[in-house]
Amino acid sequence: MTGRTAPAGGDPAAGRTPAGPGPGGAQPYDPLRLCVYATVALLAWLGGAWVVLGFAVLGFTGYLRARRAGLARSRCLLRDTRLVLGYLALIGSAALVALVRGFTG
């Protein structure tokens, strides 16, 4: 033990600061994912199929790289990275079809 204590206000090196104690001294749940989901939905609504295609390609690329690096199971609801890749490919394909139909009338 070095005798060092964590600085007041949390661990800035880890990017975490305490949100204040909840009931029983536990940290309250931070629904950050819900904010992220709402932001992505807003962008998709405003940008239409272009944004959906962009997020699908971004997600597919990220999961493909992770799978090649050895990730076989994800924290995603689908769990298996092959299923996640198929799901993202399906979303990207649907967005691409919507864009082509929009251009061809």
Side-chain angles (χ1 to χ4, degrees):
M1 179 132 185
T2 62
R4 289 180 36 187
T5 60
D11 182 2
R16 292 178 289 201
T17 56
Q27 294 293 327
Y29 171 73
D30 182 1
L32 174 63
R33 285 186 180 169
L34 299 177
C35 182
V36 170
Y37 297 154
T39 303
V40 170
L42 175 64
L43 290 171
W45 178 50
L46 293 174
W50 286 107
V51 174
V52 174
L53 179 61
F55 276 113
V57 168
L58 183 66
F60 187 89
T61 303
Y63 268 97
L64 187 60
R65 285 181 182 169
R67 180 154 178 82
R68 287 180 178 166
L71 182 69
R73 295 196 47 86
S74 171
R75 290 185 294 169
C76 177
L77 183 65
L78 297 174
R79 297 288 181 226
D80 190 332
T81 53
R82 293 172 296 189
L83 292 175
V84 176
L85 285 166
Y87 169 71
L88 292 168
L90 182 65
I91 291 172
S93 298
L96 197 56
V97 167
L99 289 169
V100 168
R101 281 190 177 178
F103 283 127
T104 61

